[in-house]
Amino acid sequence: MDVLRIVCFFSILFGLFSSGKSGRNVTSRPAAVHIGAIFTFDSTIGKVAKIAIEEAVKDVNANSSILPGTELVVTMTNSNCSGFVGMVQALQFMETDIIAIIGPQSSVVAHIISHVANELQVPLLSFAATDPTLNSLQFPYFVRTTQSDLYQMAAIAEIVEYYGWKAVIAIFIDDDNGRNGVAALSDKLAEKRFRISFKAGIHPDSGVGRAEIMDILVKVALLESRVIVLHVDPSLGFKVFSVAKYLGMMGNGYVWIATDWLSSVLDSAAHLPSDTMESLQGVLALRQHTPDSDRKRAFSSRWNKLTGGSLGLNSYGLYAYDSVWLVAHAIDAFLGQGGVISFSNDSRLRSVESGNLHLDAMSIFDGGGLLLNNILQSDLVGLTGHIKFDSERSLILPAYDVINVIGTGFRRVGYWSNYSGLSTVPPETLYGRPTNHSDANQHLYDVIWPGETLKPPRGWVFPNNGKPLRIGVPIRVSFKEFVSPVRGSDTFKGFCIDVFTAAVNLLPYPVLYQFVPFGDGKRNPSYNKLVNMITTGVFDAAVGDIAIVTNRTKILDFTQPYAASGLVVVAPFKKLNTGAWAFLRPFSPLMWIVTSCFFLVVGIVVWILEHRINDEFRGPPKRQIITVLWFSLSTLFFAHRENTMSTLGRFVLLIWLFVVLIINSSYTASLTSILTVQQLSSPIKGIESLKETHDPIGYQVGSFAEYYLNEELGIPKYRLVELGSPEAYARALQQGPKNGGVAAVVDELPYVESFLSSQCKFRIVGQEFTKSGWGFAFPRDSPLAIDISTAILELSENGDLQRIHDKWFMQSSCSSETSELESDRLHLKSFWGLFLICGLVCLIALFIYFLQIVRQLSDAKPEEDISANTQGSSRSGRLQKLLSLMDEKEDQSKSNKKRRVEMHENGRDDCELGKNPKSKKSEVATGSNIT
């Protein structure tokens, strides 16, 4: 009976234990915690990662400061780079006590497993999935413990910018990782106004043969760009380089940039076959940068002992090692926070009829959110440097090494970091300095390029496998000195052709081209149609007198302007005789009126200021009026005889004489020009006056002048008349608008200068009202446009451009005449500042003067009050006193005031001292006689 009771007791304990096991609820600080690892064991990355993860687990369990009393157990499975296999293995992990998964290494597998991790709330830490689209919004439980390809593509874009290339070709493996990586590259290039000119995807199947790769590379060889970015896996990448070597695409002129797949192979392989290394010569590659440290060097030494030198340590192995430590620290913090490793069933899985899949065995990790939060808040130092996540859940301070494959190995030519760009200094050295992304701060060591050359390749060649460029040239029927076909040949001549030929001869490489005529030869062709045919691929470029205007620059690239060109107005003129009234022409009528008024105003102001103290400005009214008029007019010749005695009067006169000096000098200069230079007059003064009329306007057939006059200036089309030749210009201008001709012709400056070189009856009126130039047109982002622009600048600097101009254009036969169009009259707007200053001075002087008068009036207040009482009206008395004071001479006023004061004091003394009043009367009488 006792035995039966003991058996039942142990049965109950075993049942309780089994029940707890089925619920998978474990108390805090368990004896062991389990994590999983999914990656491909036999891949380049997987071979290194397997050893790194095993060593990391050993180091964690040997370290008593982390997970004390708890053993970290890792279960590794081989996904064979299969998304389906990886998903099955992840589901199998969910049937056990796995609380975190390290891996996978493939971005394709990571996309699939991340859905499982999200549902069951198990953190997924990938040390090699670099796809930029694996973001935290879609996959919150996915944590990337390596660098995203977003930064790798940013580094490639800065390398492209550093060497001045404009376009690249992307060859990629056509899966999630390849497509999304190239999309990130396209975005980073677009930020710098560069582009991917061609994308070639390769099937991700490992059985892709040389024939398929050769078809792709043959297409690439026929393209313009020679900068190729290779974003594939190692097995496919070496096939591409082998075929490229066979096709001669690893020689001079080519640039190959490999993503970090190549550096991983070079780091981990003990040695590569000689033919493989031969096909890699001159290739640039990126490698995730890990700072040098004592821990890293110690681990590298330990690694060599473990592998016996048969397997190298690459950066992904270092990130795999650090991922284990990252999980260990997060679990330690989780347990320290009282976290319990427990699981609960998912009701959604129970509702699914799983059959033999046993979906009901999978459970949600209850502490997944807390563990994930601890992972993201980690801040530690590992073999790869500082491990910390930013707000985007990316590792901080991303950086890459830039390596150059040469000989039997490779060498580092610089670094790239998101902090400071390209440099030859390790990024960790620059983190303590202010960030500097300026072009002057970007540096790399010399690279040995394919073909064993140190000179950076140009990055492009002419497309179509050496076929000559088809250059469209307009067939002009007028102004043939600019461009015209040579009879009996397929060549052209003219100013524009000579400039283009001279520029091409300055290029450091040969350019094959052929001129293709455009137009029927009966009338000037439409230049808008010519440039549009470049965008459709009919022409590879256009050479001629092509104006650089806004609507054309939106669809094409132009070279540096080689000739200034803007729209001007040409009109007939007539010669003006000076005549008897020529002396009135220097000033406009308003200028004459204002000047006359100021002469009168200044004379009146000076009279007011001088009237009380200056005898020359006193006397009868008739005399005073004559004095004012004479004084004001005589200042014109600085011949005034009246002296000014007051300070205010002298100040006003000084300012006025300065104004008179300026007006006098301007009048003299203008009158001299009118009387000595032949004056030409035209009713049209410029484009504005031409717009105000309703007369017809001529323009050259095919010129953009029609579009500008109609669309930009709003001149109706019925006023615009097509003219096809210089002779038609002259004929229409001579006839005039009343006889079926035109009032003026609007055309580009070079044509007008050529026209006026032999036509002396017409002149340019007004100013050039558009600013543009002539250039050669090329397709968008054509590197040839940049090189031709540089050559044109060189032609301009060495004087060849001017010599070509002088060769084709003779000097004007009218240049000996000193004729000029009637100059504008001098208007008030040119002198209003002087008149304003003079007017302000006059007002200020009068204001000060009247203040002095009012002050004197207030000093005589007692006497004014007596006078006001006598007259009976205070206001009229004050006004009369003010006017009398202003008219009274200042010396008399002062003496009278003084005399009144003395009389008052003497009277007071007589009363006090009893003096004889007769003596006082005699003194007063004597004073009166003196007065």
Side-chain angles (χ1 to χ4, degrees), residues 800-813:
D800 288 344
L801 191 61
Q802 184 61 43
R803 283 188 284 271
I804 295 173
H805 180 276
D806 296 340
K807 169 187 172 182
W808 285 99
F809 303 109
M810 61 180 181
Q811 296 296 325
S812 173
S813 59

Side-chain angles (χ1 to χ4, degrees), residues 57-366:
V57 172
K58 292 179 182 178
D59 293 344
V60 168
N61 291 328
N63 192 328
S64 59
S65 64
I66 185 170
L67 292 176
T70 301
E71 181 184 5
L72 181 65
V73 180
V74 60
T75 303
M76 292 186 284
T77 59
N78 187 2
S79 67
N80 290 320
C81 280
S82 171
F84 176 75
V85 174
M87 180 183 66
V88 172
Q89 293 171 345
L91 292 175
Q92 290 176 344
F93 279 153
M94 303 310 172
E95 295 178 358
T96 61
D97 293 338
I98 298 296
I99 62 173
I101 299 175
I102 295 177
Q105 71 183 65
S106 169
S107 297
V108 176
V109 180
H111 273 279
I112 298 174
I113 298 180
S114 294
H115 291 285
V116 179
N118 289 348
E119 292 297 327
L120 303 181
Q121 300 181 11
V122 175
L124 183 66
L125 291 81
S126 178
F127 58 88
T130 57
D131 183 355
T133 62
L134 288 167
N135 55 57
S136 58
L137 295 178
Q138 184 180 7
F139 305 114
Y141 278 84
F142 175 83
V143 180
R144 195 195 321 272
T145 58
T146 186
Q147 301 296 346
S148 168
D149 276 344
L150 185 68
Y151 300 110
Q152 182 171 206
M153 299 309 172
I156 293 176
E158 292 207 17
I159 292 173
V160 171
E161 181 185 33
Y162 177 76
Y163 288 107
W165 303 317
K166 299 298 181 182
V168 303
I169 295 172
I171 301 177
F172 59 97
I173 185 169
D174 197 4
D175 59 10
D176 290 340
N177 185 48
R179 286 190 300 270
N180 296 328
V182 170
L185 175 61
S186 180
D187 293 340
K188 292 300 181 180
L189 289 172
E191 290 176 4
K192 301 179 179 300
R193 302 186 65 182
F194 304 147
R195 64 189 178 92
I196 298 177
S197 60
F198 181 74
K199 299 178 183 179
I202 302 178
H203 196 280
D205 187 4
S206 59
V208 174
R210 290 176 61 90
E212 183 178 345
I213 296 175
M214 188 172 294
D215 290 340
I216 293 175
L217 293 184
V218 168
K219 293 180 182 178
V220 170
L222 297 178
L223 299 174
E224 181 180 87
S225 177
R226 285 292 182 266
V227 181
I228 304 170
V229 176
L230 192 58
H231 186 49
V232 293
D233 57 37
S235 61
L236 195 56
F238 289 122
K239 289 181 181 179
V240 171
F241 282 125
S242 177
V243 175
K245 178 69 175 178
Y246 174 77
L247 295 177
M249 298 175 65
M250 299 301 298
N252 285 334
Y254 281 91
V255 177
W256 287 86
I257 303 176
T259 51
D260 58 3
W261 66 265
L262 179 57
S263 61
S264 299
V265 176
L266 294 175
D267 285 334
S268 58
H271 64 275
L272 292 176
S274 58
D275 57 342
T276 300
M277 291 302 299
E278 184 67 22
S279 64
L280 298 177
Q281 297 301 301
V283 174
L284 281 182
L286 294 177
R287 177 176 60 189
Q288 297 188 51
H289 176 72
T290 55
D292 287 333
S293 64
D294 294 337
R295 288 186 60 191
K296 179 181 173 182
R297 284 189 290 270
F299 186 78
S300 297
S301 177
R302 174 180 164 191
W303 182 274
N304 291 331
K305 294 179 181 179
L306 287 172
T307 61
S310 62
L311 183 64
L313 177 63
N314 57 38
S315 58
Y316 286 109
L318 297 175
Y319 280 110
Y321 181 91
D322 282 349
S323 298
V324 175
W325 277 90
L326 179 63
V327 171
H329 279 281
I331 295 174
D332 188 49
F334 171 80
L335 297 176
Q337 294 166 356
V340 177
I341 299 177
S342 63
F343 299 84
S344 59
N345 293 326
D346 191 348
S347 59
R348 291 173 297 176
L349 294 177
R350 287 185 175 182
S351 63
V352 179
E353 295 183 1
S354 57
N356 295 325
L357 293 178
H358 301 291
L359 296 179
D360 55 342
M362 291 182 293
S363 302
I364 297 174
F365 176 34
D366 297 329

